[in-house]
Amino acid sequence: MRPAHLTDASPLVLVAHGSRDPRAAEATRALARAVGAGCPGRPVLPAWLDHTDPGPADVLRRLAADGHSRVVLVPLLLTAAYHRKVDIPAAIAAAGAGLDVRVTEVLGPTGGVVDGRLLAGLRRRLGEAAGTDADAVVLAAAGTRDPAARASVGRVAAALGTGLGVPCRVSYASAAPPEVGGAVRRLRAAGARRVAVAAYFLAPGRFHDGVRAAARSAGAVAVADPLTDLPELAELVWRRVTAAA
């Protein structure tokens, strides 16, 4: 059924970070298909900031050439750090005039609020990996030097731990401590017997592969897959689009 809040026919452009790993691009395309399935007839186009074509400026220019006057751009990002603050505005500027581009919030927390769909997706992936036996969780994120973005990851960890009823600690694959192995070992030293790792990633790639290996080496019983094209994530995209309308 077509969601009532997506009756607008203006195209959606889903902009991901990009990766040299082809699995990441395929995950973005899969999410675009999942979003498009909920609004048939409305164009849903993926784009990437780096490593994969097309870039968002190219997609926006093509839409303008095809006669569109308005576009909704969704940053497929989990924090509002450098890529949201700098790269996406630069891409819109590079596309030139001719389009009304409305940019939604990122998929991570906005206004201090963690969307329940994001938490539901994280819980689903954890359940697939670890069942219901985990007595502690590490939320593994890509990492950022932006303190506000790190605080938003901390809010997700706190909300996830509260929902699961277990301790939940943050770790990062780059840019900031602690790394996932250290976080797992600290929870185990504090008495946890079954530490599982939730993947705060939208797509597979080098960072997630490294998290999986390091977490297993440190004694984690399970490492969840990235969120990719879960129904909860597609619903979260729709929610962001509605809020930007």
Side-chain angles (χ1 to χ4, degrees), residues 98-113:
L99 277 178
D100 172 15
V101 182
R102 298 196 179 186
V103 183
T104 76
E105 299 285 0
V106 298
L107 302 184
T110 61
V113 177

Side-chain angles (χ1 to χ4, degrees), residues 12 14-16 24-39 44-46 48 74-77 107 202-203 227-238:
L12 304 183
L14 310 187
V15 182
E26 182 48 43
T28 303
R29 295 186 187 100
L31 178 58
R33 290 192 293 269
V35 172
C39 48
V44 180
L45 307 173
W48 293 267
V74 184
L76 298 183
L77 304 169
L107 302 184
L202 296 178
L227 295 165
T228 60
D229 60 340
L230 285 179
E232 293 88 347
L233 199 62
E235 290 168 9
L236 179 53
V237 170
W238 297 331

